[in-house]
Amino acid sequence: MIGRLNHVAIAVDSVEKASAVYRGALGAKVSEPETVAEHGVTVVFVELPNTKIELLEPYGENSPIAGFVAKNPAGGIHHVCYEVDDILAARDQLKASGARVLGDGEPRIGAHGKPVLFLHPKDFCGTLVELEQA
Amino acid sequence: MIGRLNHVAIAVDSVEKASAVYRGALGAKVSEPETVAEHGVTVVFVELPNTKIELLEPYGENSPIAGFVAKNPAGGIHHVCYEVDDILAARDQLKASGARVLGDGEPRIGAHGKPVLFLHPKDFCGTLVELEQA
């Protein structure tokens, strides 16, 4: 079912500082910061030849990553995102297997403008998994 | 400097259970378990079209991931591995930038038979980073 690794998301307290690490010490190509207010994040993309790393900074009052960054002030890997062809078929197959889909189980439009779902870390090796319809 | 994302490593208490999750619920291609005694892990590879996920289970008395799994019994993302062309040049550049290389700073031969180094999470957005000479 799952296809490409779309991205690894790393939550940080400052995308400016994190960009300097990836652009400077690691010599990677990093995009300019972009705030996605409705998702409560400011994001930069580290462009690797085969996938990307998303560096996420909390934005606004109700950022979904604010708690994570408060608990991990140095930052940390927040989730991985796998691509699927058909997110509703993927959801139904996952639910049938007994896995928990977060929220109300309906895909939302994610930060890339595509339908996404998140899966319960406890059912996936302690890892928050995002599925994105590619 | 950094090139491809070689893999994301997820530490788990059982690669057998973790394989069932990735092969079953997520419908991915997963290799058979392989024990790498000198690295203190049993590993399976989840083969994605653009990269791989390594599921690591502690092996033996002095497994380097035993502490992590004890603290995260459901499992968790342990590190990311970026490829570099020249690991000694990468190390020297990183040290010159003030970043900390773990251990004695000399590359070791990693689980894929290639030279690797690990970088200090505090200097890299709270993320344990492995560099592998590709």
Side-chain angles (χ1 to χ4, degrees):
Chain A
M1 178 172 67
I2 56 171
R4 295 176 74 259
L5 176 73
N6 185 275
H7 63 268
V8 177
I10 298 176
V12 297
D13 67 340
S14 158
V15 289
E16 192 185 327
K17 283 192 289 178
S19 294
V21 168
Y22 269 83
R23 196 178 281 136
L26 292 173
K29 188 172 171 194
V30 181
S31 70
E32 290 304 309
E34 192 182 326
T35 293
V36 192
E38 66 272 33
H39 289 279
V41 294
T42 298
V43 60
V44 300
F45 301 98
V46 179
E47 294 165 36
L48 303 180
N50 60 333
T51 188
K52 58 185 182 285
I53 309 295
E54 293 191 7
L55 304 172
L56 305 174
E57 174 185 324
Y59 175 84
E61 301 271 305
N62 297 303
S63 171
I65 60 166
F68 181 91
V69 173
K71 261 187 278 184
N72 301 276
I77 300 176
H78 186 262
H79 66 266
V80 291
C81 175
Y82 301 126
E83 296 179 1
V84 295
D85 288 335
D86 180 334
I87 201 152
L88 293 176
R91 175 198 63 188
D92 293 346
Q93 188 177 326
L94 284 161
K95 285 176 108 170
S97 79
R100 285 167 283 182
V101 175
L102 297 185
D104 63 3
E106 292 308 312
R108 293 173 56 204
I109 297 303
H112 310 141
K114 295 179 172 173
V116 303
L117 281 173
F118 283 89
L119 309 180
H120 199 302
K122 287 260 161 83
D123 294 337
F124 293 92
C125 309
T127 303
L128 179 61
V129 172
E130 180 178 17
L131 297 180
E132 178 175 300
Q133 185 166 295
Chain B
M1 178 171 67
I2 56 172
R4 295 177 74 255
L5 177 73
N6 185 275
H7 63 268
V8 177
I10 298 176
V12 297
D13 66 341
S14 158
V15 288
E16 192 184 326
K17 284 192 288 178
S19 295
V21 168
Y22 269 83
R23 196 179 279 135
L26 292 174
K29 188 172 172 196
V30 182
S31 70
E32 290 304 310
E34 191 183 325
T35 293
V36 191
E38 67 272 32
H39 288 280
V41 294
T42 298
V43 59
V44 301
F45 301 98
V46 178
E47 294 165 35
L48 303 179
N50 59 333
T51 189
K52 58 186 183 289
I53 308 295
E54 293 191 8
L55 304 172
L56 305 174
E57 174 186 324
Y59 175 84
E61 301 271 305
N62 297 305
S63 172
I65 61 166
F68 182 91
V69 172
K71 261 186 279 182
N72 301 277
I77 301 176
H78 186 263
H79 67 265
V80 291
C81 176
Y82 302 126
E83 296 178 1
V84 294
D85 287 333
D86 180 334
I87 201 151
L88 293 176
R91 176 199 61 187
D92 293 345
Q93 189 177 326
L94 284 161
K95 286 175 107 171
S97 80
R100 284 167 284 183
V101 175
L102 297 184
D104 62 5
E106 291 308 310
R108 293 174 55 204
I109 297 303
H112 310 141
K114 295 179 173 173
V116 303
L117 280 173
F118 283 89
L119 309 180
H120 198 302
K122 288 258 162 86
D123 294 337
F124 294 92
C125 309
T127 304
L128 180 61
V129 172
E130 181 180 16
L131 297 181
E132 179 176 299
Q133 186 166 296

